Amino acid sequence: MAKRVVFLGAGTGGTMAANRLAREMSEEIQRNELEIILLGDTDQHVYQPGFLYIALDREIPEKYKRSQQQLIVPGVQFVVDSVKEIQAQQRTIITKKGHRIPYDFLVVATGSVPNLDSIPGFRQDANSFYTLSEALRLREKIQSFKGGKVVMIVGVPHKCPVAPLEFMFMLDDSLRQAGKREDAELVYTYPIGRLHSLVPVAEWAEKEFEKRNIKGETFFNVESIDPANHTVFTLEGEEVKYDLLIGIPPHEGAPVIRNSGLGDAEGWLPTDPKTLKLKGNEHIYVLGDATDLPISKAGSTAHYQSEVVARNLIHELRGEPPTTLYNGKVFCFIESGLEEATHITFDYRTPPQPAKATTMTHMFKLAFNEMYWLSLRGLI
Ligand SMILES: Cc1cc2nc3c(=O)[nH]c(=O)nc-3n(C[C@H](O)[C@H](O)[C@H](O)COP(=O)(O)OP(=O)(O)OC[C@H]3O[C@@H](n4cnc5c(N)ncnc54)[C@H](O)[C@@H]3O)c2cc1C
């Protein structure tokens, strides 16, 4: 009987890992010894880093959307259905359409979800760019912005930890290009005692903020927002008025994790940092934003992890021990304006060090935005 591997979540990590496995085990699939199912709750794939460019009116949404079916390689069966429950003891998943799908191995890649209700008033008046609809709404607000105080609030954890900084730099340049910068006060806030969780990035950002006259406020934990009076209240006792509020709320794991009795209070799955197996379960791997690992929730994290998971699945399906270990590698481009970018790379043992920002790095970032679709197929 064919062995079955189910990938739950057809975003960055799930798609890459399923495609990699199918490419490497095409012969087993052809001999009907292996079945690969990729389950996603939508037939569209959206490239989330594109939201930055959409919100700032640099690109149109269509550029960052593809049909999911076109992104998978032969050998992967893509099914559009939402998973209601993972029954880990029975090695079965239950879908919303009522299917029971048993598996030999399950790869959970269900991502993370911004919790817009975690801060009272957030939904009413804060503008995010973490979904397509929010990015489009923020685009309108920025276009009609007549000047005043722009405040960015950030809740942790959230995916792409550098995105709020990138947005601030790009917004600064956009306002300068539009001749509106002199009428705007830009304020960036962060919950801990520096501008970013990674010390070298915080130190780099502080200097960039100084050059651009962006004000940084630290120890800024938002308690609530008063939409009627355009005021943010913090746990530290501050009251800050704004004209335009941009915000990223704290994220949580996908609801299916908690609905299945798995994961911690925020829905993150306890994951072995090296093997990427769900702790205490030999049949479930976890990758991407869904893990509880103390590293950046980023597409590149999911990318490197998908290589490890696919490799170990190949070993296990061939009856060998899984020997490939994840070393915590993350790589991030950081747009430091509309025409320059820097990059960082780090792992469990090596801290990041932002390189000098250059136009060339920005061009690489734009090039990667195009190449993302190839990386999903496991080609780069
Ligand atoms: C504005 C923005 C900018 C970013 N910029 C960068 C960047 O420059 N570089 C970078 O590396 N990363 C960036 N990221 C982060 C990156 O997009 C994510 O970290 C990455 O997509 C995580 O991959 P994933 O596979 O874990 O989750 P996702 O790609 O989010 O995929 C999860 C999938 O699982 C599906 N799913 C969830 N629950 C179920 C269910 N019950 N049943 C079926 N399907 C389900 C979801 O619908 C989704 O399709 C950015 C993100 C944003 C929002």
Side-chain angles (χ1 to χ4, degrees):
M1 197 166 130
K3 294 226 167 104
R4 181 183 287 150
V5 183
V6 175
F7 291 83
L8 171 48
T12 302
T15 307
M16 282 181 184
N19 280 343
R20 273 179 195 282
L21 187 66
R23 286 164 67 88
E24 302 260 353
M25 298 199 77
S26 57
E27 289 177 13
E28 284 87 343
I29 294 168
Q30 271 167 19
R31 291 197 299 264
N32 292 324
E33 291 166 11
L34 174 65
E35 192 183 15
I36 298 177
I37 298 178
L38 173 63
L39 260 154
D41 50 10
T42 158
D43 61 359
Q44 293 289 306
H45 192 111
V46 179
Y47 177 58
Q48 301 173 42
F51 299 156
L52 281 160
Y53 306 90
I54 294 168
L56 291 161
D57 204 17
R58 302 280 135 183
E59 295 290 355
I60 54 167
E62 285 63 35
K63 178 163 176 170
Y64 300 117
K65 273 196 261 178
R66 294 280 192 284
S67 146
Q68 177 68 28
Q69 187 64 46
Q70 288 173 3
L71 301 171
I72 56 175
V73 305
V76 177
Q77 300 169 43
F78 173 54
V79 177
V80 183
D81 199 349
S82 185
V83 172
K84 219 168 60 177
E85 193 187 344
I86 302 165
Q87 296 183 338
Q89 294 301 322
Q90 290 91 326
R91 276 196 243 158
T92 300
I93 54 169
I94 313 291
T95 75
K96 278 226 171 102
K97 290 182 183 164
H99 300 292
R100 291 178 66 83
I101 307 177
Y103 60 82
D104 293 287
F105 290 100
L106 176 68
V107 179
V108 183
T110 42
S112 58
V113 191
N115 183 353
L116 300 173
D117 297 313
S118 56
I119 299 168
F122 191 99
R123 253 184 209 280
Q124 289 79 1
D125 214 26
N127 301 278
S128 185
F129 54 94
Y130 265 49
T131 61
L132 181 53
S133 57
E134 288 166 332
L136 288 168
R137 197 176 64 155
L138 179 54
R139 183 174 77 179
E140 270 178 46
K141 294 268 175 81
I142 292 171
Q143 279 171 347
S144 57
F145 179 68
K146 298 270 183 296
K149 188 167 177 176
V150 182
V151 176
M152 162 88 78
I153 55 172
V154 183
V156 287
H158 66 86
K159 58 185 147 187
C160 194
V162 295
L165 285 174
E166 292 183 285
F167 194 85
M168 234 34 210
F169 297 134
M170 291 165 77
L171 176 65
D172 177 51
D173 270 2
S174 292
L175 292 172
R176 283 176 204 276
Q177 282 185 2
K180 293 181 181 175
R181 183 60 178 95
E182 298 216 326
D183 304 322
E185 183 187 353
L186 299 188
V187 182
Y188 179 92
T189 72
Y190 204 68
I192 58 171
R194 53 183 184 265
L195 295 174
H196 194 270
S197 54
L198 299 167
V199 175
V201 175
E203 288 171 355
W204 167 79
E206 205 176 316
K207 289 188 202 120
E208 293 297 310
F209 274 13
E210 230 174 86
K211 276 195 250 166
R212 289 173 175 271
N213 191 23
I214 299 172
K215 190 172 167 205
E217 291 255 12
T218 55
F219 291 121
F220 198 96
N221 289 277
V222 179
E223 186 173 38
S224 65
I225 296 160
D226 176 355
N229 293 303
H230 299 313
T231 307
V232 174
F233 297 92
T234 71
L235 289 175
E236 290 81 5
E238 282 199 63
E239 263 185 58
V240 176
K241 286 218 167 263
Y242 60 84
D243 295 288
L244 175 61
L245 184 63
I246 304 177
I248 290 130
H251 286 33
E252 293 179 350
V256 66
I257 304 302
R258 271 181 293 189
N259 294 345
S260 306
L262 301 169
D264 60 18
E266 278 81 43
W268 309 120
L269 284 164
T271 308
D272 184 285
K274 291 186 174 160
T275 65
L276 300 177
K277 282 210 174 167
L278 177 67
K279 284 186 180 161
N281 191 311
E282 283 303 307
H283 296 268
I284 301 183
Y285 283 94
V286 191
L287 61 82
D289 292 359
T291 74
D292 70 343
L293 299 177
I295 47 167
S296 297
K297 295 191 183 301
S300 76
T301 310
H303 186 142
Y304 295 122
Q305 291 176 342
S306 73
E307 293 172 0
V308 172
V309 169
R311 191 113 301 278
N312 281 336
L313 281 168
I314 295 166
H315 287 310
E316 295 214 71
L317 291 162
R318 290 182 176 157
E320 300 156 7
T323 49
T324 310
L325 300 177
Y326 175 58
N327 68 353
K329 186 169 180 191
V330 182
F331 173 91
C332 292
F333 285 110
I334 310 176
E335 293 281 28
S336 54
L338 290 175
E339 277 154 27
E340 278 193 346
T342 176
H343 63 89
I344 46 172
T345 179
F346 51 104
D347 59 36
Y348 289 139
R349 297 165 73 149
T350 323
Q353 193 50 58
K356 185 177 162 14
T358 65
T359 310
M360 186 62 85
T361 310
H362 166 68
M363 300 309 283
F364 278 133
K365 163 87 185 178
L366 296 186
F368 182 77
N369 292 347
E370 309 289 333
M371 292 190 302
Y372 172 70
W373 311 108
L374 292 178
S375 75
L376 283 180
R377 292 191 178 94
L379 295 175
I380 51 169

